[in-house]
Amino acid sequence: MRQSAHKIFVNTLLLTAASLVMRGVGLIFQVYLAGKIGASSIGVYSLIMSVYTMFVTLGSGGIRFAVTRLTAAAISENDSVRRTVGSSLVYALSTGLLSLSALFFAAPLIGSRWIGADEVIPALKILSLSLPFIAATAVFGGYFTGVERVVRSVSVNILEQLSRIAVTVVLLNLFGDTGIRGICASLAVAATIGEVVSCVCHILLFAIDIHRFPHAAPKGGYGKKIFGTAMPIAVSAYMRTGLSSLGHILIPRGLRSSGASFESAFAAYGVIHGMAFPVLLFPSALLTALAELIIPRLTAAQSEGSQRGINYMSTRVIKIGLMFSVCVGGIMMFFGPELGTAVYGGNEVGQYLRIFAPLVPVMYCDMVTDGCLKGLGQHMKAMYINIAEASLNVLLLYFLIPRLAVLGYGLSIYICESFNLALSFGRLLKVAKVEIRPSELLRVVLAVAGAGFGVRLLGLGLVSSVLAAAIVYVALLCVLGVIAGSDLDWLRRVVRN
């Protein structure tokens, strides 16, 4: 158990560091885009990417998770890892090519009818070319997660992001004055080149890493295993992503129905979805890494019939998620306006950071809860919950935004995220004993409130205030008994090992 905790701890630190680099570079790039193309153009491209995500899911839905589980199982059962990955790659390329054809030929309909702007059609066709590469990359990403070497995959993602940014800067300088058509096409070309780079690098790393595993005799049935694991997730993901994309389409449409112009509607959507939420989700790199790394560990504990191990890891992960997310939410609440001004140079984003700050613990805890559910084979239940949430979101957006404008958008986000976490955590409690008491939650909230108010009164600079608030928060958690002596002993053992 100690070795498992140590390996998860080290991999989480490495993966979090890499993810923070990626997100930091991405956030800086988002600030550059906001100044270069404006909030309305960001809103249009964000909507393009929401629709594009639906086709990405069509091409690779379920395969990454399937490869993660099947690779971990192949290692435990002395099955052929090579045959597992090879069969998965055939499946992924087939679905990727299908998705390419669907988006390429549907681009005119999507651009003119769904998004309401013919200028985005070339961008959609360009993005379709990336789909087979994304599907292949998902296979290799699932492999590296299954063998617990995710840092390699994330390192490639950093390279992919840097190449995408470099190409974007060059193309925007050449075609940035050609309106929405040129801007979106430039961003689409850069995204496609980045995905090709990522795929090629993943192939090279896999070719090197696979030699660690001996040529085990294939046990057969790979197609059935892949199809049986990936397809149920994929079908559910298609439904959820389709509903999510429909929801994103309804946002600017609803804002225009409420009386906003085309530009102001997409600007409002761009500020919230394309500018504020990247800042809100930036610190979640730690929990994203932890949620991904816990999957093979919980799968192994479940295979071994170790309920104690399942309860132990689930409790640790949820507790870390709770303490970390409340800290981030408190920082956004107390220092959101200053953060928005520092990042984007304006107060509008900062106000939205404060408005959505109470939602941060809900979103972050949902991430780690989903990771636990996937590791425990509850992925289908998690997908059903996500589909229910997406359906509720569409209904709320359809009825609320035309009547309440931006307020309706905010209410739908709060209701849907809370709905998802309530169902997901309830499901986790059915398969694992998570020992988080309500009194602990109250003490965590008191700790962040005390830290925020106390540091706010000192009148320090932004960076000093954030660091001081985090330090005081941790100290108060210790004083209030949320972080107990056993937790500190566990952390010391993990680090010492």
Side-chain angles (χ1 to χ4, degrees):
M1 185 66 69
R2 291 183 182 180
Q3 289 181 344
S4 295
H6 175 254
K7 194 163 188 177
I8 292 174
F9 178 77
V10 172
N11 283 338
T12 300
L13 288 181
L14 293 173
L15 188 54
T16 300
S19 297
L20 284 174
V21 170
M22 285 179 60
R23 294 187 182 209
V25 172
L27 189 57
I28 293 171
F29 181 58
Q30 196 73 10
V31 174
Y32 164 80
L33 283 181
K36 184 75 174 178
I37 66 177
S40 61
S41 295
I42 287 181
V44 173
Y45 189 68
S46 295
L47 188 54
I48 291 173
M49 296 306 289
S50 296
V51 175
Y52 170 63
T53 300
M54 179 173 64
F55 289 90
V56 171
T57 304
L58 176 64
S60 57
I63 189 61
R64 182 185 177 104
F65 172 67
V67 175
T68 296
R69 280 186 66 89
L70 294 177
T71 299
I75 295 172
S76 300
E77 299 167 5
N78 197 29
D79 199 352
S80 174
V81 176
R82 289 174 176 79
R83 186 65 65 85
T84 298
V85 176
S87 300
S88 302
L89 190 59
V90 172
Y91 172 93
L93 290 176
S94 301
T95 56
L97 289 171
L98 174 65
S99 183
L100 183 157
S101 302
L103 178 56
F104 187 88
F105 291 109
L109 174 64
I110 293 171
S112 60
R113 297 288 183 86
W114 293 11
I115 298 177
D118 291 338
E119 294 86 352
V120 307
I121 294 173
L124 290 168
K125 290 187 175 182
I126 293 168
L127 286 170
S128 70
L129 304 177
S130 68
L131 294 170
F133 297 98
I134 293 175
T137 299
V139 172
F140 298 116
Y143 161 80
F144 283 116
T145 302
V147 300
E148 299 186 61
R149 294 200 169 193
V150 285
V151 174
R152 286 163 170 75
S153 184
V154 173
S155 300
V156 174
N157 291 339
I158 294 175
L159 177 62
E160 178 254 322
Q161 189 175 39
L162 293 176
S163 63
R164 176 186 298 196
I165 291 172
V167 175
T168 300
V169 171
V170 171
L171 292 179
L172 284 181
N173 286 328
L174 292 175
F175 307 107
D177 297 330
T178 56
I180 292 293
R181 180 185 294 269
I183 289 171
C184 292
S186 298
L187 294 172
V189 169
T192 300
I193 291 175
E195 296 297 346
V196 173
V197 170
S198 178
C199 183
V200 171
C201 292
H202 271 96
I203 291 172
L204 294 175
L205 285 176
F206 171 76
I208 296 171
D209 192 77
I210 194 63
H211 292 295
R212 296 188 300 118
F213 299 102
H215 287 273
K219 295 185 178 181
Y222 300 104
K224 183 178 180 180
K225 291 179 184 177
I226 294 165
F227 192 84
T229 305
M231 186 50 65
I233 299 175
V235 171
S236 301
Y238 300 156
M239 296 174 64
R240 187 203 177 188
T241 308
L243 289 167
S244 177
S245 297
L246 176 59
H248 283 288
I249 291 169
L250 288 174
I251 295 167
R253 282 179 176 267
L255 291 174
R256 291 171 68 183
S257 298
S258 70
S261 65
F262 178 89
E263 185 172 348
S264 62
F266 275 101
Y269 175 69
V271 168
I272 297 174
H273 184 72
M275 298 169 70
F277 267 82
V279 177
L280 286 169
L281 295 174
F282 175 78
S284 67
L286 170 67
L287 299 184
T288 303
L290 195 58
E292 186 166 8
L293 291 168
I294 202 67
I295 292 175
R297 288 292 174 179
L298 285 174
T299 299
Q302 189 178 48
S303 299
E304 296 166 3
S306 176
Q307 188 63 43
R308 180 175 175 273
I310 291 172
N311 297 340
Y312 176 85
M313 285 187 281
S314 299
T315 299
R316 288 291 182 192
V317 168
I318 296 296
K319 191 171 182 179
I320 290 171
L322 174 64
M323 292 187 294
F324 180 75
S325 62
V326 170
C327 179
V328 174
I331 289 172
M332 296 296 175
M333 173 64 73
F334 287 102
F335 309 106
E338 292 87 347
L339 278 170
T341 301
V343 175
Y344 291 104
N347 193 42
E348 186 177 12
V349 174
Q351 294 302 325
Y352 282 118
L353 293 180
R354 176 167 282 176
I355 288 170
F356 289 109
L359 195 62
V360 169
V362 177
M363 294 188 295
Y364 283 27
C365 288
D366 189 49
M367 293 177 188
V368 291
T369 301
D370 273 0
C372 291
L373 289 175
K374 289 177 181 178
L376 294 171
Q378 299 293 307
H379 44 279
M380 290 307 302
K381 297 291 185 181
M383 288 304 304
Y384 294 148
I385 292 170
N386 290 333
I387 291 171
E389 182 223 338
S391 302
L392 176 63
N393 185 49
V394 168
L395 291 174
L396 291 174
L397 291 173
Y398 181 79
F399 287 107
L400 292 181
I401 293 184
R403 294 164 177 79
L404 302 176
V406 176
L407 176 60
Y409 182 25
L411 285 174
S412 69
I413 295 175
Y414 263 94
I415 294 171
C416 291
E417 292 290 346
S418 302
F419 173 80
N420 194 317
L421 177 61
L423 294 184
S424 298
F425 193 70
R427 184 63 203 174
L428 179 62
L429 291 178
K430 294 182 181 296
V431 292
K433 185 179 179 181
V434 181
E435 298 177 355
I436 303 291
R437 295 183 295 275
S439 61
E440 282 186 305
L441 177 59
L442 177 60
R443 283 177 282 167
V444 169
V445 173
L446 290 175
V448 78
F453 280 116
V455 173
R456 189 78 187 174
L457 293 174
L458 298 177
L460 303 175
L462 176 60
V463 176
S464 300
S465 295
V466 171
L467 291 175
I471 293 170
V472 173
Y473 170 71
V474 173
L476 288 175
L477 289 179
C478 294
V479 171
L480 294 172
V482 179
I483 298 178
S486 59
D487 297 315
L488 296 175
D489 290 340
W490 171 80
L491 182 60
R492 279 194 292 267
R493 288 197 304 269
V494 169
V495 174
R496 189 185 307 119
N497 286 339

